[in-house]
Amino acid sequence: MTDAPGFLAVDSGGSGMRVVVGTVEQGVAARRESREPVRTGDRGIDAGHLMEQLVPMVRALMAESGAVRLGAAVVGAAGLATLGDGLRAELPAALEREFGIGRVALVADAVTAYVGALGARPGAVVAAGTGLIAMGTDLTRWRRADGWGHLLGDCGSGAWIGRAGLEAALRAHDGRPGGSAGLLARAEELFGPMRGLPGKLYPRPDRPAVLASFAPHVAACADVDPVAAGTLRAAARHMAESAAAVCPTAGAPQVALTGGLFKLGAPLLVPLEEELSKRLPHARRVPAAGDPLQGAVCIATDLAAGALTLPSDDAMLCVVTGKRD
């Protein structure tokens, strides 16, 4: 690396943390990954726990890359919009103390997913995995839809599809209408007898992930099972509704999909393309260019170069500069 100040880009989510150091001129120089998710506490995301993991990784990255100093940092964090008060209050000063970083952007993971997929272009991005959120912007403000968690929303997500599939299995078990014998058989292979399912599921702290683990089984049955196919069509409809809620209505916006749920393939993607065409005829579907870490790198590069033009937002994208006590 050169003597020019480098940048730090962080993608912190439910499965751990990915960290990159680089420069504006040369791009990414080195990266590290932790499989330990950052804890949440009374003040939301635990800034102290994040720094415990981050500091040794950044020091190792600086040594590996030859970076002398870091001028800017972007931390993309899952839950920042609703659980980020402590992080916003503590992290910029902590990064300044440890590394002398004078410009810090705290960014919701939905925004880094958007930027990774579309860059600084108007449009909408559906980010879907265990959960689901849609982000949109006309480059003057951010709009979000859903992302409310598996109890209140995340409609169309992996957890939503899995829960609907297990409900169909339980209906078949009971002899109620709307059940699926195929999904019942798969659920019993995965979880054992259905009468024991509530006891296995409800106490689990990772309930959304357990529910989402059944989504691939729903997709696998879709070609021969009308109940499974209908579940995926309903999921596609929910996704398209969220995309339409946030997509700019004027101009020629782009729409992209990002996240592991879309690995379910044609049983989900075919009805989703139909629903998007119906609800967003003015928008152009494009493939996602990159993932949330790439989005964090893009934002960090612009922040380091003084060229960040994305709209600011107290909850979704907050930039802090200068000395903090």
Side-chain angles (χ1 to χ4, degrees):
M1 289 178 65
T2 67
D3 290 337
F7 65 74
L8 168 67
V10 179
D11 173 42
S12 175
S15 59
M17 184 162 54
R18 298 183 293 169
V19 184
V20 159
V21 164
T23 66
V24 174
E25 295 81 8
Q26 298 178 352
V28 173
R31 66 181 68 206
R32 286 281 190 282
E33 183 173 346
S34 164
R35 295 301 181 93
E36 182 182 0
V38 175
R39 292 191 298 260
T40 58
D42 293 341
R43 298 191 65 198
I45 302 168
D46 189 330
H49 187 229
L50 188 150
M51 287 295 291
E52 286 176 17
Q53 295 191 62
L54 189 61
V55 168
M57 282 196 286
V58 174
R59 296 207 185 283
L61 287 169
M62 292 180 72
E64 178 182 336
S65 65
V68 177
R69 56 195 176 101
L70 300 173
V74 169
V75 178
L80 181 75
T82 53
L83 299 171
D85 287 349
L87 208 63
R88 281 185 283 266
E90 299 174 28
L91 193 62
L95 289 171
E96 188 173 30
R97 284 194 305 270
E98 289 290 341
F99 304 112
I101 299 173
R103 285 175 289 177
V104 176
L106 300 177
V107 188
D109 62 334
V111 172
T112 56
Y114 183 101
V115 177
L118 289 184
R121 299 180 181 87
V125 170
V126 178
T130 297
L132 184 143
I133 190 170
M135 287 296 299
T137 184
D138 57 3
L139 301 184
T140 64
R141 68 184 182 109
W142 294 101
R143 296 186 65 185
R144 64 168 280 179
D146 212 336
W148 302 120
H150 75 290
L151 293 178
L152 299 175
D154 286 359
C155 298
S157 68
W160 187 96
I161 292 170
R163 190 213 59 81
L166 289 172
E167 180 188 347
L170 288 166
R171 284 180 172 275
H173 174 269
D174 294 346
R176 290 179 287 152
S180 164
L183 291 175
L184 174 59
R186 285 182 173 263
E188 289 184 327
E189 288 176 9
L190 192 62
F191 297 108
M194 284 295 93
R195 64 180 176 274
L197 180 60
K200 291 181 178 179
L201 180 64
Y202 292 156
R204 294 280 294 262
D206 58 344
R207 281 189 306 275
V210 176
L211 291 170
S213 72
F214 196 62
H217 296 274
V218 178
C221 290
D223 286 344
V224 296
D225 188 328
V227 174
T231 296
L232 293 175
R233 283 195 299 271
R237 183 172 64 252
H238 284 305
M239 290 183 189
E241 288 171 350
S242 291
V246 301
C247 189
T249 56
Q254 297 181 355
V255 178
L257 312 173
T258 186
L261 186 62
F262 299 111
K263 294 178 183 178
L264 294 182
L268 176 62
L269 292 175
V270 170
L272 179 54
E273 294 294 347
E274 294 173 357
E275 294 290 342
L276 289 171
S277 296
K278 184 190 308 181
R279 287 173 171 76
L280 293 170
H282 68 297
R284 181 165 66 94
R285 267 281 287 116
V286 299
D291 66 3
L293 179 60
Q294 182 59 42
V297 169
C298 289
I299 297 170
T301 301
D302 287 347
L303 184 65
L308 185 62
T309 59
L310 292 168
S312 61
D313 182 283
D314 288 345
M316 307 297 288
L317 196 164
C318 175
V319 177
V320 178
T321 60
K323 288 284 185 183
R324 290 171 62 91
D325 296 327

